[in-house]
Every structure is written in structure tokens, then in C-alpha cells.
Amino acid sequence: DAVERGDAAGPADHPQGEDLRRKDFVLARGFDEGVLYGPELIDFVTESYAAMKPFMKFLCESQGARL
């Protein structure tokens, strides 16, 4: 789903306007269930959040916010 009006998600002429009008986003990363119970969990979560930073930066900057 996407919002109908472009101004609800920034300038109508924004290069990624179509993406910014989406109502929600899902980021996913596959993993072996054993990671949940092992010593590598903290590293896995830390790396996962770090991998999302460019996407979060894109969303923040599109709305005039800084990450």
C-alpha cells in the first residue's frame, strides 16, 4: 500500500517519491536458528542493525531529518 498524495511523503518530484509514499517497509535477513542460542547472537544483531543504516539514512534524509 502507498499513500495517495505525494506531499504526505515529501516533495512530489523527489527521485524516490514512489518508495517514500509507501505506508510501511520491511527489512529481513535470513539466519540459522542456532544463532539465537549461541555466543554469536550479539555480533549478528549488531551487524544486522549496521546493515540497515543506509536505508534508515535514506528515509531520514528524505524527510529532512538527520540520522
Side-chain angles (χ1 to χ4, degrees):
D1 277 345
V3 294
E4 293 182 23
R5 295 185 47 186
D7 60 342
D13 62 345
H14 193 284
Q16 285 82 31
E18 183 176 336
D19 289 327
L20 294 172
R21 285 189 292 277
R22 297 184 190 282
K23 293 182 181 177
D24 52 22
F25 298 90
V26 175
L27 301 177
R29 180 179 178 190
F31 62 93
D32 180 356
E33 188 175 323
V35 171
L36 297 175
Y37 308 106
E40 65 273 11
L41 176 61
I42 299 297
D43 289 339
F44 176 79
V45 171
T46 301
E47 292 167 6
S48 296
Y49 278 106
M52 289 186 286
K53 188 172 182 178
F55 180 71
M56 295 304 298
K57 184 175 188 274
F58 160 70
L59 289 179
C60 289
E61 288 179 350
S62 73
Q63 300 301 307
R66 295 186 65 193
L67 179 64

CSV table of all heavy atoms in Angstrom, one decimal:
chain,number,residue,atom,x,y,z
A,1,ASP,N,0.8,-1.2,0.0
A,1,ASP,CA,0.0,0.0,0.0
A,1,ASP,C,0.9,1.2,0.0
A,1,ASP,O,2.0,1.3,0.5
A,1,ASP,CB,-0.9,0.0,1.3
A,1,ASP,CG,-2.1,-0.8,1.1
A,1,ASP,OD1,-2.5,-1.2,0.0
A,1,ASP,OD2,-2.8,-1.1,2.1
A,2,ALA,N,0.3,2.3,-0.5
A,2,ALA,CA,1.0,3.6,-0.6
A,2,ALA,C,0.0,4.7,-0.3
A,2,ALA,O,-1.2,4.6,-0.6
A,2,ALA,CB,1.7,3.8,-1.9
A,3,VAL,N,0.5,5.8,0.2
A,3,VAL,CA,-0.4,6.9,0.4
A,3,VAL,C,-0.6,7.5,-1.0
A,3,VAL,O,0.2,7.4,-1.9
A,3,VAL,CB,0.2,8.0,1.3
A,3,VAL,CG1,0.4,7.5,2.7
A,3,VAL,CG2,1.6,8.5,0.9
A,4,GLU,N,-1.8,8.2,-1.2
A,4,GLU,CA,-2.1,8.7,-2.5
A,4,GLU,C,-1.5,10.0,-2.8
A,4,GLU,O,-1.2,10.3,-4.0
A,4,GLU,CB,-3.6,8.8,-2.6
A,4,GLU,CG,-4.3,7.4,-2.5
A,4,GLU,CD,-5.8,7.5,-2.7
A,4,GLU,OE1,-6.3,8.5,-3.2
A,4,GLU,OE2,-6.5,6.5,-2.2
A,5,ARG,N,-1.3,10.8,-1.8
A,5,ARG,CA,-0.7,12.1,-2.1
A,5,ARG,C,0.8,12.2,-1.9
A,5,ARG,O,1.3,11.7,-0.8
A,5,ARG,CB,-1.4,13.2,-1.2
A,5,ARG,CG,-2.9,13.3,-1.5
A,5,ARG,CD,-3.5,14.4,-0.7
A,5,ARG,NE,-2.6,15.6,-0.8
A,5,ARG,CZ,-2.8,16.7,-0.1
A,5,ARG,NH1,-3.8,16.7,0.8
A,5,ARG,NH2,-2.0,17.7,-0.2
A,6,GLY,N,1.5,12.7,-2.8
A,6,GLY,CA,3.0,12.7,-2.7
A,6,GLY,C,3.4,13.6,-1.6
A,6,GLY,O,4.5,13.4,-1.0
A,7,ASP,N,2.7,14.7,-1.3
A,7,ASP,CA,3.2,15.6,-0.3
A,7,ASP,C,3.2,15.0,1.1
A,7,ASP,O,3.8,15.5,2.1
A,7,ASP,CB,2.4,16.9,-0.3
A,7,ASP,CG,0.9,16.7,0.0
A,7,ASP,OD1,0.4,15.6,-0.2
A,7,ASP,OD2,0.3,17.7,0.3
A,8,ALA,N,2.5,13.9,1.3
A,8,ALA,CA,2.5,13.2,2.6
A,8,ALA,C,3.8,12.5,2.9
A,8,ALA,O,4.1,12.2,4.0
A,8,ALA,CB,1.3,12.2,2.6
A,9,ALA,N,4.6,12.4,1.8
A,9,ALA,CA,5.9,11.7,2.0
A,9,ALA,C,7.0,12.6,1.4
A,9,ALA,O,8.0,12.0,0.9
A,9,ALA,CB,5.8,10.4,1.3
A,10,GLY,N,6.9,13.9,1.4
A,10,GLY,CA,8.0,14.7,0.9
A,10,GLY,C,7.5,15.3,-0.5
A,10,GLY,O,6.4,15.2,-0.9
A,11,PRO,N,8.5,16.0,-1.1
A,11,PRO,CA,8.2,16.7,-2.4
A,11,PRO,C,7.7,15.7,-3.4
A,11,PRO,O,8.2,14.6,-3.6
A,11,PRO,CB,9.5,17.3,-2.7
A,11,PRO,CG,10.4,17.3,-1.5
A,11,PRO,CD,9.9,16.2,-0.7
A,12,ALA,N,6.8,16.2,-4.2
A,12,ALA,CA,6.2,15.3,-5.3
A,12,ALA,C,7.2,14.9,-6.3
A,12,ALA,O,7.1,13.9,-6.9
A,12,ALA,CB,5.0,16.1,-6.0
A,13,ASP,N,8.3,15.8,-6.5
A,13,ASP,CA,9.3,15.5,-7.5
A,13,ASP,C,10.5,14.7,-6.9
A,13,ASP,O,11.5,14.6,-7.6
A,13,ASP,CB,9.7,16.7,-8.2
A,13,ASP,CG,10.3,17.7,-7.3
A,13,ASP,OD1,10.2,17.6,-6.1
A,13,ASP,OD2,10.9,18.7,-7.8
A,14,HIS,N,10.4,14.2,-5.7
A,14,HIS,CA,11.5,13.5,-5.1
A,14,HIS,C,11.9,12.3,-6.0
A,14,HIS,O,11.0,11.6,-6.4
A,14,HIS,CB,11.2,13.1,-3.7
A,14,HIS,CG,12.3,12.6,-2.9
A,14,HIS,ND1,13.0,11.4,-3.1
A,14,HIS,CD2,13.1,13.3,-1.9
A,14,HIS,CE1,14.0,11.3,-2.3
A,14,HIS,NE2,14.1,12.4,-1.6
A,15,PRO,N,13.2,12.1,-6.3
A,15,PRO,CA,13.6,10.9,-7.1
A,15,PRO,C,13.0,9.6,-6.6
A,15,PRO,O,12.8,8.7,-7.4
A,15,PRO,CB,15.1,11.0,-7.1
A,15,PRO,CG,15.5,12.3,-6.6
A,15,PRO,CD,14.3,12.8,-5.8
A,16,GLN,N,12.9,9.4,-5.3
A,16,GLN,CA,12.4,8.2,-4.8
A,16,GLN,C,11.0,8.3,-4.2
A,16,GLN,O,10.6,7.6,-3.3
A,16,GLN,CB,13.3,7.6,-3.7
A,16,GLN,CG,14.6,7.0,-4.3
A,16,GLN,CD,15.6,8.0,-4.6
A,16,GLN,OE1,15.7,9.1,-3.9
A,16,GLN,NE2,16.5,7.8,-5.6
A,17,GLY,N,10.2,9.3,-4.8
A,17,GLY,CA,8.9,9.6,-4.3
A,17,GLY,C,8.0,8.4,-4.2
A,17,GLY,O,7.2,8.2,-3.3
A,18,GLU,N,8.1,7.5,-5.2
A,18,GLU,CA,7.2,6.3,-5.2
A,18,GLU,C,7.5,5.4,-3.9
A,18,GLU,O,6.6,5.0,-3.3
A,18,GLU,CB,7.4,5.5,-6.4
A,18,GLU,CG,6.5,4.3,-6.5
A,18,GLU,CD,6.6,3.5,-7.8
A,18,GLU,OE1,7.1,4.1,-8.8
A,18,GLU,OE2,6.3,2.3,-7.8
A,19,ASP,N,8.8,5.2,-3.6
A,19,ASP,CA,9.1,4.5,-2.4
A,19,ASP,C,8.7,5.2,-1.2
A,19,ASP,O,8.3,4.6,-0.2
A,19,ASP,CB,10.6,4.2,-2.4
A,19,ASP,CG,11.0,3.2,-3.5
A,19,ASP,OD1,10.2,2.3,-3.8
A,19,ASP,OD2,12.2,3.3,-4.0
A,20,LEU,N,8.9,6.5,-1.1
A,20,LEU,CA,8.6,7.3,0.1
A,20,LEU,C,7.1,7.3,0.4
A,20,LEU,O,6.7,7.6,1.5
A,20,LEU,CB,9.2,8.7,0.0
A,20,LEU,CG,10.7,8.8,-0.1
A,20,LEU,CD1,11.1,10.2,-0.4
A,20,LEU,CD2,11.3,8.2,1.2
A,21,ARG,N,6.3,7.1,-0.6
A,21,ARG,CA,4.8,7.1,-0.4
A,21,ARG,C,4.3,5.8,0.2
A,21,ARG,O,3.2,5.6,0.6
A,21,ARG,CB,4.1,7.4,-1.7
A,21,ARG,CG,4.2,8.9,-2.0
A,21,ARG,CD,3.3,9.3,-3.2
A,21,ARG,NE,3.7,8.7,-4.5
A,21,ARG,CZ,4.7,9.1,-5.2
A,21,ARG,NH1,5.3,10.2,-4.9
A,21,ARG,NH2,5.0,8.5,-6.4
A,22,ARG,N,5.2,4.8,0.3
A,22,ARG,CA,4.8,3.5,0.8
A,22,ARG,C,4.4,3.7,2.3
A,22,ARG,O,5.0,4.5,3.0
A,22,ARG,CB,5.9,2.5,0.7
A,22,ARG,CG,6.2,2.2,-0.7
A,22,ARG,CD,7.3,1.1,-0.8
A,22,ARG,NE,7.8,0.9,-2.1
A,22,ARG,CZ,7.1,0.3,-3.1
A,22,ARG,NH1,6.0,-0.2,-2.9
A,22,ARG,NH2,7.7,0.2,-4.3
A,23,LYS,N,3.4,3.0,2.8
A,23,LYS,CA,2.9,3.1,4.1
A,23,LYS,C,3.8,2.3,5.1
A,23,LYS,O,3.8,2.7,6.3
A,23,LYS,CB,1.5,2.6,4.3
A,23,LYS,CG,0.5,3.4,3.5
A,23,LYS,CD,-0.9,2.9,3.7
A,23,LYS,CE,-1.9,3.7,3.0
A,23,LYS,NZ,-3.3,3.1,3.1
A,24,ASP,N,4.5,1.3,4.7
A,24,ASP,CA,5.4,0.6,5.6
A,24,ASP,C,6.6,0.0,4.8
A,24,ASP,O,6.5,-0.1,3.5
A,24,ASP,CB,4.7,-0.4,6.4
A,24,ASP,CG,3.8,-1.4,5.5
A,24,ASP,OD1,4.1,-1.5,4.3
A,24,ASP,OD2,2.9,-2.0,6.1
A,25,PHE,N,7.6,-0.4,5.5
A,25,PHE,CA,8.7,-1.1,4.9
A,25,PHE,C,9.1,-2.3,5.8
A,25,PHE,O,8.8,-2.3,7.0
A,25,PHE,CB,9.9,-0.1,4.9
A,25,PHE,CG,9.8,1.1,4.1
A,25,PHE,CD1,9.2,2.3,4.7
A,25,PHE,CD2,10.1,1.1,2.8
A,25,PHE,CE1,9.1,3.4,3.9
A,25,PHE,CE2,9.9,2.3,2.0
A,25,PHE,CZ,9.4,3.4,2.6
A,26,VAL,N,9.6,-3.3,5.1
A,26,VAL,CA,10.0,-4.5,5.8
A,26,VAL,C,11.5,-4.8,5.4
A,26,VAL,O,11.8,-4.9,4.2
A,26,VAL,CB,9.1,-5.7,5.5
A,26,VAL,CG1,9.7,-7.0,6.2
A,26,VAL,CG2,7.7,-5.4,6.0
A,27,LEU,N,12.3,-4.9,6.4
A,27,LEU,CA,13.7,-5.4,6.1
A,27,LEU,C,13.9,-6.7,6.8
A,27,LEU,O,13.4,-6.9,7.9
A,27,LEU,CB,14.7,-4.4,6.7
A,27,LEU,CG,14.6,-2.9,6.2
A,27,LEU,CD1,15.6,-2.1,6.9
A,27,LEU,CD2,14.8,-2.9,4.7
A,28,ALA,N,14.4,-7.7,6.1
A,28,ALA,CA,14.6,-9.0,6.6
A,28,ALA,C,16.0,-9.6,6.3
A,28,ALA,O,16.6,-9.2,5.3
A,28,ALA,CB,13.5,-9.9,6.1
A,29,ARG,N,16.4,-10.4,7.2
A,29,ARG,CA,17.7,-11.1,7.0
A,29,ARG,C,17.5,-12.6,7.4
A,29,ARG,O,17.1,-12.8,8.6
A,29,ARG,CB,18.8,-10.4,7.8
A,29,ARG,CG,20.1,-11.0,7.7
A,29,ARG,CD,21.2,-10.3,8.5
A,29,ARG,NE,22.5,-11.0,8.3
A,29,ARG,CZ,23.5,-10.7,9.1
A,29,ARG,NH1,23.4,-9.7,10.0
A,29,ARG,NH2,24.6,-11.3,8.9
A,30,GLY,N,17.9,-13.5,6.6
A,30,GLY,CA,17.8,-14.9,6.9
A,30,GLY,C,18.9,-15.2,7.9
A,30,GLY,O,20.0,-14.6,8.0
A,31,PHE,N,18.7,-16.3,8.7
A,31,PHE,CA,19.7,-16.7,9.7
A,31,PHE,C,19.4,-18.1,10.1
A,31,PHE,O,18.2,-18.6,10.0
A,31,PHE,CB,19.7,-15.8,10.9
A,31,PHE,CG,18.5,-15.7,11.7
A,31,PHE,CD1,18.3,-16.6,12.8
A,31,PHE,CD2,17.5,-14.8,11.4
A,31,PHE,CE1,17.1,-16.5,13.5
A,31,PHE,CE2,16.3,-14.7,12.1
A,31,PHE,CZ,16.1,-15.6,13.2
A,32,ASP,N,20.4,-18.8,10.6
A,32,ASP,CA,20.3,-20.1,11.2
A,32,ASP,C,19.7,-20.0,12.6
A,32,ASP,O,20.2,-19.2,13.4
A,32,ASP,CB,21.6,-20.8,11.2
A,32,ASP,CG,21.6,-22.2,11.7
A,32,ASP,OD1,20.6,-22.7,12.2
A,32,ASP,OD2,22.7,-22.8,11.7
A,33,GLU,N,18.7,-20.7,13.0
A,33,GLU,CA,18.1,-20.6,14.3
A,33,GLU,C,19.1,-20.8,15.4
A,33,GLU,O,18.9,-20.3,16.5
A,33,GLU,CB,17.0,-21.7,14.4
A,33,GLU,CG,16.2,-21.5,15.7
A,33,GLU,CD,15.0,-22.5,15.7
A,33,GLU,OE1,14.4,-22.8,14.7
A,33,GLU,OE2,14.7,-22.9,16.8
A,34,GLY,N,20.2,-21.5,15.2
A,34,GLY,CA,21.2,-21.7,16.2
A,34,GLY,C,21.8,-20.5,16.6
A,34,GLY,O,22.4,-20.4,17.7
A,35,VAL,N,21.8,-19.4,15.8
A,35,VAL,CA,22.4,-18.1,16.1
A,35,VAL,C,21.7,-17.6,17.4
A,35,VAL,O,22.3,-16.9,18.2
A,35,VAL,CB,22.3,-17.1,15.0
A,35,VAL,CG1,22.7,-15.7,15.4
A,35,VAL,CG2,23.2,-17.6,13.8
A,36,LEU,N,20.4,-17.8,17.5
A,36,LEU,CA,19.6,-17.3,18.6
A,36,LEU,C,20.1,-17.8,20.0
A,36,LEU,O,19.9,-17.1,21.0
A,36,LEU,CB,18.2,-17.6,18.5
A,36,LEU,CG,17.4,-17.1,17.3
A,36,LEU,CD1,16.0,-17.6,17.2
A,36,LEU,CD2,17.5,-15.6,17.3
A,37,TYR,N,20.8,-18.9,20.0
A,37,TYR,CA,21.2,-19.5,21.3
A,37,TYR,C,22.7,-19.6,21.4
A,37,TYR,O,23.2,-20.1,22.4
A,37,TYR,CB,20.6,-21.0,21.3
A,37,TYR,CG,19.1,-21.0,21.1
A,37,TYR,CD1,18.6,-21.5,19.9
A,37,TYR,CD2,18.2,-20.5,22.0
A,37,TYR,CE1,17.2,-21.5,19.6
A,37,TYR,CE2,16.9,-20.5,21.8
A,37,TYR,CZ,16.4,-21.0,20.6
A,37,TYR,OH,15.0,-21.0,20.3
A,38,GLY,N,23.4,-19.0,20.5
A,38,GLY,CA,24.9,-19.1,20.5
A,38,GLY,C,25.5,-17.8,20.9
A,38,GLY,O,24.9,-16.7,21.0
A,39,PRO,N,26.8,-17.8,21.1
A,39,PRO,CA,27.6,-16.7,21.5
A,39,PRO,C,27.7,-15.6,20.4
A,39,PRO,O,28.0,-14.5,20.7
A,39,PRO,CB,28.9,-17.2,21.9
A,39,PRO,CG,29.0,-18.5,21.1
A,39,PRO,CD,27.6,-19.0,21.0
A,40,GLU,N,27.3,-16.0,19.2
A,40,GLU,CA,27.4,-15.0,18.1
A,40,GLU,C,26.2,-14.1,17.9
A,40,GLU,O,26.1,-13.3,17.0
A,40,GLU,CB,27.7,-15.7,16.8
A,40,GLU,CG,26.6,-16.7,16.3
A,40,GLU,CD,26.7,-18.1,16.8
A,40,GLU,OE1,27.4,-18.3,17.8
A,40,GLU,OE2,25.9,-18.9,16.3
A,41,LEU,N,25.2,-14.3,18.8
A,41,LEU,CA,24.0,-13.5,18.7
A,41,LEU,C,24.2,-12.0,18.7
A,41,LEU,O,23.7,-11.3,17.8
A,41,LEU,CB,23.0,-13.9,19.8
A,41,LEU,CG,21.7,-13.1,19.8
A,41,LEU,CD1,20.9,-13.3,18.5
A,41,LEU,CD2,20.8,-13.4,21.0
A,42,ILE,N,25.0,-11.5,19.6
A,42,ILE,CA,25.3,-10.1,19.7
A,42,ILE,C,25.9,-9.6,18.5
A,42,ILE,O,25.5,-8.5,17.9
A,42,ILE,CB,26.1,-9.8,21.0
A,42,ILE,CG1,25.4,-10.2,22.2
A,42,ILE,CG2,26.5,-8.3,21.0
A,42,ILE,CD1,24.1,-9.5,22.5
A,43,ASP,N,26.9,-10.3,17.9
A,43,ASP,CA,27.5,-9.8,16.7
A,43,ASP,C,26.5,-9.9,15.5
A,43,ASP,O,26.5,-8.9,14.7
A,43,ASP,CB,28.7,-10.8,16.3
A,43,ASP,CG,29.9,-10.5,17.3
A,43,ASP,OD1,30.0,-9.5,17.9
A,43,ASP,OD2,30.7,-11.5,17.4
A,44,PHE,N,25.7,-10.9,15.5
A,44,PHE,CA,24.7,-11.0,14.4
A,44,PHE,C,23.7,-9.8,14.4
A,44,PHE,O,23.5,-9.2,13.4
A,44,PHE,CB,23.9,-12.3,14.5
A,44,PHE,CG,22.8,-12.4,13.5
A,44,PHE,CD1,23.1,-12.8,12.2
A,44,PHE,CD2,21.5,-12.1,13.9
A,44,PHE,CE1,22.0,-12.9,11.3
A,44,PHE,CE2,20.5,-12.2,13.0
A,44,PHE,CZ,20.7,-12.6,11.7
A,45,VAL,N,23.2,-9.5,15.6
A,45,VAL,CA,22.3,-8.3,15.8
A,45,VAL,C,23.0,-7.0,15.4
A,45,VAL,O,22.4,-6.2,14.7
A,45,VAL,CB,21.7,-8.3,17.2
A,45,VAL,CG1,20.9,-7.0,17.4
A,45,VAL,CG2,20.8,-9.5,17.4
A,46,THR,N,24.2,-6.8,15.9
A,46,THR,CA,25.0,-5.6,15.7
A,46,THR,C,25.2,-5.4,14.2
A,46,THR,O,25.0,-4.3,13.6
A,46,THR,CB,26.3,-5.7,16.4
A,46,THR,OG1,26.1,-5.8,17.8
A,46,THR,CG2,27.1,-4.4,16.2
A,47,GLU,N,25.6,-6.5,13.5
A,47,GLU,CA,25.8,-6.4,12.1
A,47,GLU,C,24.5,-6.2,11.3
A,47,GLU,O,24.5,-5.4,10.3
A,47,GLU,CB,26.5,-7.7,11.6
A,47,GLU,CG,27.9,-7.9,12.1
A,47,GLU,CD,28.4,-9.4,11.8
A,47,GLU,OE1,27.7,-10.2,11.2
A,47,GLU,OE2,29.5,-9.7,12.3
A,48,SER,N,23.4,-6.7,11.8
A,48,SER,CA,22.1,-6.5,11.1
A,48,SER,C,21.7,-5.1,11.2
A,48,SER,O,21.2,-4.5,10.2
A,48,SER,CB,21.1,-7.5,11.8
A,48,SER,OG,21.4,-8.8,11.5
A,49,TYR,N,21.8,-4.5,12.4
A,49,TYR,CA,21.5,-3.1,12.5
A,49,TYR,C,22.4,-2.2,11.7
A,49,TYR,O,21.9,-1.2,11.1
A,49,TYR,CB,21.5,-2.6,14.0
A,49,TYR,CG,20.2,-3.0,14.7
A,49,TYR,CD1,20.2,-4.1,15.6
A,49,TYR,CD2,19.0,-2.3,14.5
A,49,TYR,CE1,19.0,-4.4,16.3
A,49,TYR,CE2,17.9,-2.7,15.1
A,49,TYR,CZ,17.9,-3.7,16.0
A,49,TYR,OH,16.7,-4.0,16.7
A,50,ALA,N,23.7,-2.5,11.7
A,50,ALA,CA,24.6,-1.7,10.9
A,50,ALA,C,24.3,-1.8,9.4
A,50,ALA,O,24.4,-0.8,8.7
A,50,ALA,CB,26.0,-2.2,11.1
A,51,ALA,N,23.8,-2.9,8.9
A,51,ALA,CA,23.4,-3.1,7.5
A,51,ALA,C,22.2,-2.3,7.2
A,51,ALA,O,22.0,-1.9,6.0
A,51,ALA,CB,23.2,-4.6,7.2
A,52,MET,N,21.3,-2.0,8.1
A,52,MET,CA,20.1,-1.2,7.9
A,52,MET,C,20.4,0.3,7.9
A,52,MET,O,19.5,1.1,7.4
A,52,MET,CB,19.1,-1.5,9.0
A,52,MET,CG,18.5,-2.8,8.9
A,52,MET,SD,17.1,-3.1,10.1
A,52,MET,CE,18.0,-3.2,11.6
A,53,LYS,N,21.6,0.7,8.3
A,53,LYS,CA,21.8,2.2,8.4
A,53,LYS,C,21.7,2.9,7.1
A,53,LYS,O,21.0,4.0,7.1
A,53,LYS,CB,23.2,2.4,9.0
A,53,LYS,CG,23.5,3.9,9.3
A,53,LYS,CD,24.8,4.1,10.1
A,53,LYS,CE,24.9,5.6,10.4
A,53,LYS,NZ,26.1,5.9,11.1
A,54,PRO,N,22.1,2.5,6.0
A,54,PRO,CA,21.9,3.2,4.7
A,54,PRO,C,20.4,3.4,4.4
A,54,PRO,O,20.0,4.5,4.0
A,54,PRO,CB,22.6,2.4,3.7
A,54,PRO,CG,23.6,1.6,4.4
A,54,PRO,CD,23.0,1.3,5.7
A,55,PHE,N,19.6,2.4,4.7
A,55,PHE,CA,18.2,2.5,4.5
A,55,PHE,C,17.6,3.6,5.4
A,55,PHE,O,16.8,4.4,5.0
A,55,PHE,CB,17.5,1.2,4.6
A,55,PHE,CG,16.0,1.2,4.4
A,55,PHE,CD1,15.5,1.4,3.1
A,55,PHE,CD2,15.2,1.1,5.5
A,55,PHE,CE1,14.2,1.4,2.9
A,55,PHE,CE2,13.8,1.1,5.3
A,55,PHE,CZ,13.3,1.3,4.0
A,56,MET,N,17.9,3.5,6.7
A,56,MET,CA,17.4,4.5,7.6
A,56,MET,C,17.9,5.9,7.3
A,56,MET,O,17.1,6.9,7.4
A,56,MET,CB,17.9,4.1,9.1
A,56,MET,CG,17.3,2.8,9.5
A,56,MET,SD,15.5,2.7,9.5
A,56,MET,CE,15.1,4.1,10.6
A,57,LYS,N,19.1,6.0,6.8
A,57,LYS,CA,19.6,7.3,6.4
A,57,LYS,C,18.8,7.9,5.3
A,57,LYS,O,18.4,9.1,5.2
A,57,LYS,CB,21.1,7.2,6.0
A,57,LYS,CG,21.8,8.5,5.7
A,57,LYS,CD,23.3,8.3,5.4
A,57,LYS,CE,24.0,9.5,5.3
A,57,LYS,NZ,24.0,10.1,3.9
A,58,PHE,N,18.5,7.0,4.3
A,58,PHE,CA,17.7,7.4,3.1
A,58,PHE,C,16.3,7.9,3.6
A,58,PHE,O,15.8,9.0,3.2
A,58,PHE,CB,17.5,6.2,2.2
A,58,PHE,CG,16.3,6.4,1.3
A,58,PHE,CD1,16.3,7.3,0.2
A,58,PHE,CD2,15.2,5.5,1.4
A,58,PHE,CE1,15.3,7.4,-0.6
A,58,PHE,CE2,14.2,5.6,0.6
A,58,PHE,CZ,14.2,6.5,-0.5
A,59,LEU,N,15.7,7.2,4.5
A,59,LEU,CA,14.3,7.6,5.0
A,59,LEU,C,14.4,8.9,5.8
A,59,LEU,O,13.6,9.8,5.6
A,59,LEU,CB,13.7,6.5,5.9
A,59,LEU,CG,13.3,5.2,5.2
A,59,LEU,CD1,12.7,4.3,6.2
A,59,LEU,CD2,12.2,5.5,4.1
A,60,CYS,N,15.4,9.0,6.7
A,60,CYS,CA,15.5,10.3,7.5
A,60,CYS,C,15.8,11.5,6.6
A,60,CYS,O,15.1,12.5,6.7
A,60,CYS,CB,16.6,10.1,8.5
A,60,CYS,SG,16.2,9.0,9.8
A,61,GLU,N,16.8,11.3,5.7
A,61,GLU,CA,17.1,12.5,4.8
A,61,GLU,C,16.0,12.9,3.9
A,61,GLU,O,15.8,14.1,3.6
A,61,GLU,CB,18.4,12.2,4.1
A,61,GLU,CG,19.6,12.2,4.9
A,61,GLU,CD,20.9,11.8,4.2
A,61,GLU,OE1,20.8,11.4,3.0
A,61,GLU,OE2,22.0,12.0,4.8
A,62,SER,N,15.2,11.9,3.5
A,62,SER,CA,14.1,12.3,2.6
A,62,SER,C,13.0,13.1,3.3
A,62,SER,O,12.3,13.8,2.6
A,62,SER,CB,13.4,11.0,2.1
A,62,SER,OG,12.7,10.4,3.1
A,63,GLN,N,13.0,13.1,4.6
A,63,GLN,CA,12.1,13.9,5.4
A,63,GLN,C,12.7,15.1,6.1
A,63,GLN,O,12.2,15.7,6.9
A,63,GLN,CB,11.4,13.0,6.5
A,63,GLN,CG,10.7,11.8,5.9
A,63,GLN,CD,9.6,12.3,4.9
A,63,GLN,OE1,8.7,13.1,5.3
A,63,GLN,NE2,9.6,11.8,3.7
A,64,GLY,N,14.0,15.3,5.7
A,64,GLY,CA,14.7,16.5,6.3
A,64,GLY,C,15.3,16.2,7.6
A,64,GLY,O,15.8,17.2,8.3
A,65,ALA,N,15.3,15.0,8.1
A,65,ALA,CA,15.9,14.7,9.4
A,65,ALA,C,17.3,14.1,9.2
A,65,ALA,O,17.7,13.7,8.1
A,65,ALA,CB,15.1,13.7,10.1
A,66,ARG,N,18.1,14.2,10.2
A,66,ARG,CA,19.5,13.7,10.2
A,66,ARG,C,19.5,12.4,11.0
A,66,ARG,O,18.9,12.3,12.0
A,66,ARG,CB,20.5,14.7,10.7
A,66,ARG,CG,20.6,15.9,9.8
A,66,ARG,CD,21.6,16.8,10.2
A,66,ARG,NE,22.9,16.2,10.0
A,66,ARG,CZ,24.0,16.6,10.5
A,66,ARG,NH1,24.1,17.7,11.3
A,66,ARG,NH2,25.2,15.9,10.3
A,67,LEU,N,20.3,11.5,10.5
A,67,LEU,CA,20.5,10.2,11.3
A,67,LEU,C,21.7,10.3,12.1
A,67,LEU,O,22.7,10.8,11.8
A,67,LEU,CB,20.6,9.1,10.3
A,67,LEU,CG,20.8,7.7,10.8
A,67,LEU,CD1,19.6,7.3,11.7
A,67,LEU,CD2,21.1,6.7,9.8
